[in-house]
Amino acid sequence: AFILFPLFYMISTSFKSISEIFRIPMTYIPENSTFNNYIHVFREYGFTRCMLNSLTVCIITTLITIPVSAISAYTFSRFKFVGRDFIATSLLATLMLPGAVVIIPLYLIWARLSLLNTYPCLIITYIAFSLPFSIWLLIGFFDTIPKELEEAAWIDGASRLKTLFRIVLPVVAPGLAAVAIFCFVINWQEFLFALTFMHSPDMRTVTVGVTMFVQERFTDWGAMMAASTAVLIPVLVIFRYFQKYLVAGLMAGAVKG
């Protein structure tokens, strides 16, 4: 009840008129439901552009993070090279680093490269912060796969690269799904970097776009609740259809063979 009631009230408020939102006593279910808030959000505020920006950034980030983290995790799991433990520990340490600590250096870097207010600066930043957790999660998956499985493929004439793509990666598919869901959802709700790096209204992401409804003398609560509900829909769809892969992936990656 503590978690779901705010969500219920958010969705309920998105269908209320301004007069009903401020009515005392408040109503939990709209007496006269209206879609005006949603029409207002997507037509007048241009929230569709915010949705497209977030989808573009998150999808590209996820598609790049998956292969890079998979190959990196496989390397850590299978090869004993000099400095492996130090590099792995350094990756783990970056998980403890708040984004606010590096936001000024990153801003200066993107400014000197003339990449501010562009997709690449946000995508590269998201990839950098998504990779450490993704790599560590996938290392647990690769450690559960017996090396004998790969050796059998090598005996049959398969190269290491072919073994990785034809044998190993299909086995760790639940882990890849878990990484994809994690990467998409975490970056979908990111706010600080998107607010700092994206200056143009046409480049706002959904989290920054929601703040448009808070003005100096008035907050359009109906529009804000409608926008927040729209932002929630892609996440609900992902978890609805990929929840079993996420649970299976996290459970399998938590156990080493």
Side-chain angles (χ1 to χ4, degrees), residues 228-247:
S228 300
T229 303
V231 170
L232 188 64
I233 292 176
V235 178
L236 292 178
V237 171
I238 289 175
F239 274 96
R240 170 64 179 83
Y241 289 100
F242 297 98
Q243 181 181 12
K244 60 181 181 180
Y245 299 106
L246 178 63
V247 174

Side-chain angles (χ1 to χ4, degrees), residues 129-144:
F129 278 85
S130 300
L131 278 176
F133 177 83
S134 302
I135 292 173
W136 269 92
L137 181 64
L138 289 177
I139 287 175
F141 282 92
F142 286 116
D143 286 345
T144 62

Side-chain angles (χ1 to χ4, degrees), residues 10 57 67 72 78-79 88 102 111 141 174 177 185 193 200 203 211 234 242:
M10 176 187 73
V57 170
S72 302
R78 290 294 188 263
F79 296 97
V102 297
F141 282 92
V185 172
F193 292 130
S200 171
M203 298 299 293
T211 63
F242 297 98

Side-chain angles (χ1 to χ4, degrees), residues 75-85 147:
T75 302
F76 280 112
S77 176
R78 290 294 188 263
F79 296 97
K80 307 289 185 181
F81 55 89
V82 177
R84 185 190 68 165
D85 295 337
K147 294 183 179 180

Side-chain angles (χ1 to χ4, degrees), residues 34 105 184 196 219 253:
T34 176
F184 183 91
T196 306
T219 298

Side-chain angles (χ1 to χ4, degrees), residues 110-127:
W110 300 135
R112 291 179 181 179
L113 293 175
S114 300
L115 288 177
L116 286 176
N117 203 45
T118 63
Y119 288 142
C121 74
L122 210 55
I123 292 171
I124 296 173
T125 302
Y126 285 172
I127 291 173

Side-chain angles (χ1 to χ4, degrees), residues 40-111:
H40 187 54
V41 163
F42 288 100
R43 285 187 179 178
E44 298 185 22
Y45 282 99
F47 200 71
T48 303
R49 181 64 185 181
C50 297
M51 298 282 286
L52 291 176
N53 289 336
S54 285
L55 285 172
T56 301
V57 170
C58 292
I59 290 174
I60 294 177
T61 299
T62 303
L63 292 178
I64 296 176
T65 300
I66 291 175
V68 173
S69 59
I71 295 175
S72 302
Y74 180 79
T75 302
F76 280 112
S77 176
R78 290 294 188 263
F79 296 97
K80 307 289 185 181
F81 55 89
V82 177
R84 185 190 68 165
D85 295 337
F86 174 77
I87 296 174
T89 305
S90 300
L91 282 174
L92 184 62
T94 60
L95 294 174
M96 309 174 190
L97 190 66
V101 174
V102 297
I103 194 167
I104 294 177
L106 282 176
Y107 184 91
L108 295 176
I109 290 172
W110 300 135

